[in-house]
Amino acid sequence: MQSCEISSDSTDDPLSSGLRTHRQPRIVVIGAGLAGLAATKILLKNGFTDVTVLEASDHIGGRVQSVQLGKATLELGATWIHGANGNPVYHLAEDNGLLEHTTDGERSEGRISLYTKNGVAHYQTNAGRRIPKDLVEEFSDLYNEVYELTQEFFQNGKPVCAESQNSVGVFTRDVVRKKIMLDPDDPECTKKLKLSMLQQYLKVESCESSSPSMDEVSLSEFGEWTEIPGAHYVIPEGFMKVVELLAQDIPSRTLSLSKPVRCIHWNYSAKHQQAIAQSSHTHQGNNHNEYYHGCQPREDPLIFGHPIYVECQDEEWIPADHVIVTSSLGVLKQNHEAMFSPSLPEEKVLAIEKLGISTTDKIFLEYEEPFWSPECNSIQFVWEDEAQLEQLVYPEELWYKKICSFDVLYPPERYGYMLSGWICGQEALQMERCDDETVAETCTELLRRFTGNPNIPKPWRVLRSSWGSNPFIRGSYSFTRVGSSGEDCERLAMPLPYANSTKAPPLQVLFAGEATHRKYYSTTHGALLSGQREATRLIEMYQELHRAETTKPNNVN
């Protein structure tokens, strides 16, 4: 990518001479998560000076939220850097010394991320019995073998059979169950245990995928998600350090917190302009600068050259040439009808509706002393009465049955004695509605029941996430739901107006965020790369405009 970082008062500045105007293009970035900050950082680096970031919440980071609890830094949101080779988040962390104190145990090599690869997972039944380690390993090998089969449908173009309903969950349950039942060496009690473990594994997989159930995840598309080679890394000082690195060169005047957006008016018409001009009595507080912002655009004739107005909830109207929208898929699902005027094109709305997003929450429990053995790295909940169930649907009062496990945070020198529980789907939303005392009591009863230890104390501190009920997030991260595909990610990412709208100013509304990355959706590196992608799209357009202007033949009189 060429740089166009040139002094704005130079006559060769591509950002001014390319447009034959005396002002730079005005760019508004909606959202100060990884995608928004990455886009802003590249725009500023390449000479764009009129950039404004609007963040609805009172802090930057989006779905990255590191919380200090005593001496420990806990991650309510993004926790792991997934893979190293070519991962921009890994290289950003490594180059800035953020991984210097990451222990060998925190470089997890497994497909499922754990806080430490050391130790052993304890699979406990609701009868308080621990499942023997050799039986767990035997089942794990079988499950992983079938998991590899789920990847082949996309990767090898393998046709999906009708019985699977194109569902990862349905396919996995069917194939694993048949293999278990056909094993001549296992007694019936062992088969039942393995069938129960299958349900628990699918709950863990749902938390990893942030889907309500693996039944909702598309089998034909499951293999398109691409894993970057290398380990999963924990950042001891907190993932927010990556956010701070992205934000460190962004001037404070560029960023506005607690600034939610009500509506993006794009392809702005004369009718809209007239309506705004007539609303001169409207409140003008909290403007970023007197020249471009406010509720009285009629005072500035240049403003009528802007194709976009961003209407904020505090009644400020911000003119722009381009808007980069990094709102989560959950926010777009809930608000897209009110958020865009005119409405989004039908195919983009369909992409938003078809792609999936759910809630994966964490529940941190802190204890004065550990009740678990030193070699235990997690406590996995296996409900024996769920062995034959087809779909795990729980009434609201049984939300806790969706908690799949508690991981032990490691090392204790950093975290103390801390467990991290996982829950997803509607049950996570129900958990969010409970108070801390209820969650603490419920988790204590679960741990007592599954470990068979009635003396486990209540935790002395509880901390949990609430991504589903957060009005500015509405979910954890995206997945390809049955009926959707990677093409929907690309439709979601496609800028507006579409290229065939030749008379309209180009690249008015651009879309970034993890859900817009076809191969790396659901990840922090996918979010970061998507922000860079949209910034690069704008940079290249203005470079092309500049080249076109500078290569025009001089007019001859």
Side-chain angles (χ1 to χ4, degrees), residues 377-388:
N377 67 21
S378 63
I379 301 167
Q380 310 284 333
F381 296 151
V382 179
W383 294 86
E384 292 187 75
D385 56 347
E386 293 180 351
Q388 299 297 335

Side-chain angles (χ1 to χ4, degrees), residues 485-512:
S485 72
E487 291 180 0
D488 291 307
C489 296
E490 294 192 343
R491 290 188 188 100
L492 180 56
M494 195 174 296
L496 298 174
Y498 294 148
N500 55 7
S501 305
T502 52
K503 293 182 180 179
L507 301 186
Q508 292 181 39
V509 186
L510 303 95
F511 295 84

Side-chain angles (χ1 to χ4, degrees), residues 90-154:
Y90 169 81
H91 292 297
L92 190 61
E94 176 70 12
D95 293 347
N96 288 276
L98 298 184
L99 302 179
E100 286 180 3
H101 300 292
T102 303
T103 66
D104 287 340
E106 290 173 302
R107 296 180 180 94
S108 172
E109 300 284 349
R111 186 174 59 79
I112 302 294
S113 308
L114 286 169
Y115 286 94
T116 176
K117 65 184 179 185
N118 301 330
V120 179
H122 286 205
Y123 283 79
Q124 305 281 153
T125 73
N126 54 305
R129 295 185 297 123
R130 182 180 171 189
I131 301 174
K133 182 181 175 185
D134 58 345
L135 181 58
V136 172
E137 291 175 346
E138 188 178 309
F139 174 77
S140 183
D141 288 343
L142 169 60
Y143 181 88
N144 288 330
E145 175 188 322
V146 176
Y147 176 86
E148 292 303 318
L149 295 179
T150 65
Q151 305 295 290
E152 293 181 0
F153 293 95
F154 179 85

Side-chain angles (χ1 to χ4, degrees), residues 423-443:
I423 185 171
C424 63
Q426 287 299 316
E427 293 79 8
L429 294 175
Q430 185 60 31
M431 181 277 295
E432 292 179 13
R433 289 191 281 269
C434 297
D435 58 34
D436 282 353
E437 182 66 19
T438 300
V439 171
E441 289 179 356
T442 303
C443 291

